[in-house]
Amino acid sequence: MSIDAAPRPAPDRAAPEAPRRRPVAGRAPARPTPAAAFHSISAATAVLLGLAAIGAVIHEPVLIPPLAASAALVHNAPALPLAQPRSVVGGHLLGAAVGYGVLAAAGSSAWAAAVAAGVTLALMIAARTPHSPACATAVVIVLQTPAPARFVPLLVGATVLLVATGCAASRIRRTALKYPTYWW
């Protein structure tokens, strides 16, 4: 029998096709309705304006960049673990504690601020209180060296206000996700 006469295996037609890849843009969250976007933006802006007003009245900086990031999480992504009250309040308190600890141990420098942010992240992971803006709170403390007796109560009050406005805003709009998903 010649080589040409030998039977050839039939192509395997039963092999499954490779799964089609979805475009990366297809994994992005759905675009909010204009009403939902307006609601989230209005609520976040209102609480930030409130923090600025409180600061103007008491002549202390209450609105710091990490709180603006926290407001964005609470009002735009209320179901995320990073936006829950445990993470918002607890994360900022951990960040403050680490910031003051690193400031006492290493002084005020960019190097110490970077260490404070990393230690804050590690402690938040261990404490199950993920809140990335709290790393920035530690950095602010190390670089700006605010007096703890004034800064910490203002920070606690501001984070509680963020959580309270998140609760209120989620109940004003009937179709909004209810905030918080869990308290503790």
Side-chain angles (χ1 to χ4, degrees), residues 8-111:
R8 294 189 177 146
D12 187 11
R13 298 198 195 288
E17 290 185 27
R20 294 183 185 196
R21 292 184 163 232
R22 300 172 97 192
V24 174
R27 294 182 183 162
R31 180 173 282 122
T33 64
F38 179 78
H39 177 75
S40 294
I41 293 166
S42 298
T45 304
V47 71
L48 295 174
L49 287 170
L51 292 175
I54 292 167
V57 169
I58 64 172
H59 305 291
E60 288 285 334
V62 178
L63 177 59
I64 59 172
L67 294 176
S70 295
L73 285 170
V74 167
H75 291 285
N76 193 45
L80 288 180
L82 281 76
Q84 302 311 306
R86 169 191 175 103
S87 295
V88 174
V89 178
H92 281 290
L93 286 176
L94 278 173
V98 170
Y100 283 116
V102 169
L103 182 62
S108 179
S109 72
W111 300 103

Side-chain angles (χ1 to χ4, degrees), residues 111-182:
W111 300 103
V115 168
V119 171
T120 298
L121 180 60
L123 287 177
M124 286 189 302
I125 290 169
R128 295 182 8 232
T129 57
H131 191 68
S132 49
C135 292
T137 296
V139 170
V140 165
I141 289 170
V142 171
L143 295 179
Q144 300 296 316
T145 66
R150 297 280 292 177
F151 184 81
V152 174
L154 291 173
L155 181 67
V156 171
T159 57
V160 169
L161 184 62
L162 286 175
V163 168
T165 58
C167 291
S170 75
R171 280 145 181 83
I172 289 171
R173 191 164 169 267
R174 292 181 194 203
T175 58
L177 289 173
K178 296 302 177 232
Y179 176 81
T181 302
Y182 57 88

